[in-house]
Amino acid sequence: MFKFRESIQPISPYVPGRPIDDVKREFGLDDVVKLASNENPYGASPAVRDAVLKTFESSAIYPDGYCTNLRAAVCKYYNVKPENLIFGAGTDEVIAMLGKVFIDAGDEAITAQITFPQYAAAVEAMGGKIVYTPMTDHGYNLDALLAAITPKTKMIFIANPNNPTGTYFSKEKQDAFIKKVPKDIVVVFDEAYQEYVAATDYPDTMKTIQEYPNAILLKTFSKVYGISSYRVGFGICHPTIVEQLEKIRCPFNVSSQAQAAAEAALTDQTFVKESFTKNRHVMDKFIKALDTIGVYSVPSQTNFVLSDVKTDNIELFNKLMTKGYIVRPVPPMKTFLRITLGTEEEMDGLFKVMKEFLV
């Protein structure tokens, strides 16, 4: 009948967190709290609403494919040049573009055993092979990544902090690692959660990409900036890489509304700092509460925690939904749940329900 490309057959579709309305309908609930997709529970900067509303009159006009105003704002904030930037409908799209420009059939890319699944999708869709390496204390083992390099290696994908474990590695480790990577292998540093990092020894990846042309930095507006629905992400890298990515970028991939929302969000760093402070407070309180019922949580530098509930995670996931709480089971880790940190009230409610099921 139909003849589909063989390379995409083994790929499993990305499964997002359960939508709130679906859970309401299934269990007959009036109130549901979604703690599954690492969204900002405090929403977005008030400036975003005003910026988006101003775009309404131009809804019939194609967006600026070059993201001119947003590009200028990002250049100013990160002190980079316009030719160093590639924009996408979320970093998901940038990751997919990277696979298209670097991976041929039979090529390899390396990443950690448990990490963001879109790295594998980008590689396998192009007929490449994703090579998974063992982890240390639920985090990336950079030495293991180096040991996995072969003549077929084209790329290395690294999430720092890592999703779904929340772990990070230091500037010292990153500096030592990148020096040992062959210069013809592209290293992608995905820092989707960087704004939530409290660690003082976190890497300065902006400096890394300035010193190493084979390094790429990915950033997103979907997490702390609170505009996940608008889908805006970008990469910072050498202009020669941007030039290739632009060849296969969809012409109008970032909507006018998304560009306006991202520009407004970036200018309100007070909102970002407030979100960070609230997140750390809620995290500390929630982890301490879980500890009182014997639930261990991996130390996190993100807006979520990975917790060992010491029972079947799918079973507990389903039980929590009946009470109106959507979390995220981590399939390879049979007893772990990834729990997005909501407001203090939401986390107090979740803990009460978890205690009911686990004690």
Side-chain angles (χ1 to χ4, degrees):
M1 191 177 174
F2 299 114
K3 293 184 178 180
F4 299 106
R5 291 181 60 229
E6 291 185 8
S7 63
I8 69 169
Q9 300 315 305
I11 299 175
S12 299
Y14 181 79
V15 180
R18 285 286 303 274
I20 290 174
D21 287 343
D22 281 1
V23 175
K24 284 183 176 180
R25 284 191 293 268
E26 181 175 350
F27 298 103
L29 300 170
D30 293 324
D31 297 308
V32 170
V33 179
K34 185 184 177 187
L35 303 170
S37 299
N38 306 336
E39 297 139 330
N40 189 336
Y42 311 108
S45 163
V48 169
R49 179 183 182 277
D50 294 337
V52 171
L53 287 176
K54 288 179 181 179
T55 68
F56 179 77
E57 295 302 326
S58 61
S59 295
I61 308 300
Y62 282 112
D64 174 5
Y66 189 65
C67 298
T68 303
N69 293 336
L70 176 57
R71 187 179 298 264
V74 170
C75 285
K76 180 179 180 181
Y77 185 78
Y78 288 99
N79 192 27
V80 296
K81 296 179 180 179
E83 58 266 30
N84 291 120
L85 297 174
I86 181 72
F87 287 90
T91 50
D92 292 351
E93 186 185 24
V94 180
I95 291 167
M97 286 192 280
L98 288 169
K100 291 177 181 178
V101 301
F102 284 110
I103 300 296
D104 282 317
D107 287 340
E108 294 180 353
I110 305 169
T111 195
Q113 190 173 29
I114 300 175
T115 193
F116 190 45
Q118 293 307 100
Y119 306 149
V123 173
E124 293 172 342
M126 302 309 298
K129 176 185 177 183
I130 194 77
V131 177
Y132 294 105
T133 58
M135 303 172 75
T136 301
D137 297 327
H138 304 294
Y140 271 78
N141 182 326
L142 300 185
D143 289 335
L145 295 178
L146 291 171
I149 293 174
T150 73
K152 294 183 178 181
T153 304
K154 289 288 187 70
M155 306 181 73
I156 300 174
F157 285 98
I158 301 175
N160 191 31
N162 186 37
N163 175 18
T165 62
T167 53
Y168 86 107
F169 52 82
S170 69
K171 179 182 186 300
E172 181 181 6
K173 290 184 177 180
Q174 179 164 303
D175 290 347
F177 166 79
I178 193 67
K179 289 179 182 178
K180 298 176 183 178
V181 177
K183 300 302 183 286
D184 61 341
I185 295 176
V186 174
V187 182
V188 182
F189 294 103
D190 186 349
E191 296 187 353
Y193 299 92
Q194 176 266 321
E195 291 84 2
Y196 285 111
V197 174
T200 58
D201 60 347
Y202 186 75
D204 181 1
T205 308
M206 286 299 301
K207 184 177 180 181
T208 300
I209 62 175
Q210 290 167 2
E211 295 181 2
Y212 296 89
N214 60 322
I216 298 173
L217 172 59
L218 299 183
K219 307 290 287 184
T220 184
F221 285 94
S222 294
K223 302 307 175 186
V224 76
Y225 288 104
I227 57 171
S228 301
S229 67
Y230 288 109
R231 312 306 303 125
V232 192
F234 60 96
I236 308 175
C237 53
H238 195 275
T240 57
I241 297 177
V242 173
E243 182 179 356
Q244 299 302 311
L245 292 168
E246 287 287 1
K247 292 179 180 179
I248 48 88
R249 178 181 64 80
C250 293
F252 305 108
N253 59 331
V254 183
S255 73
S256 299
Q257 291 72 31
Q259 292 180 44
E263 183 182 354
L266 185 62
T267 59
D268 190 354
Q269 289 300 311
T270 298
F271 174 82
V272 172
K273 292 175 182 177
E274 290 174 349
S275 294
F276 167 85
T277 300
K278 292 175 183 177
N279 181 74
R280 295 308 301 186
H281 170 72
V282 170
M283 180 189 296
D284 291 343
K285 181 180 178 182
F286 184 61
I287 288 177
K288 288 177 182 177
L290 290 180
D291 187 58
T292 65
I293 58 173
V295 173
Y296 167 75
S297 297
V298 177
S300 175
Q301 294 291 327
T302 63
N303 66 333
F304 60 84
V305 293
L306 183 71
S307 301
D308 186 358
V309 293
K310 297 182 176 61
T311 189
D312 183 272
N313 58 8
I314 300 297
E315 183 178 341
L316 182 57
F317 162 72
N318 287 320
K319 287 181 178 179
L320 291 174
M321 275 199 296
T322 68
K323 297 292 186 176
Y325 291 93
I326 311 171
V327 295
R328 184 86 167 191
V330 183
M333 307 174 75
K334 302 298 184 182
T335 63
F336 282 79
L337 292 176
R338 191 194 70 185
I339 304 170
T340 301
L341 295 164
T343 65
E344 188 168 3
E345 180 181 7
E346 289 170 343
M347 301 315 290
D348 288 346
L350 174 63
F351 173 70
K352 182 179 179 180
V353 174
M354 290 180 69
K355 185 176 181 180
E356 175 185 333
F357 287 129
L358 295 175
V359 176

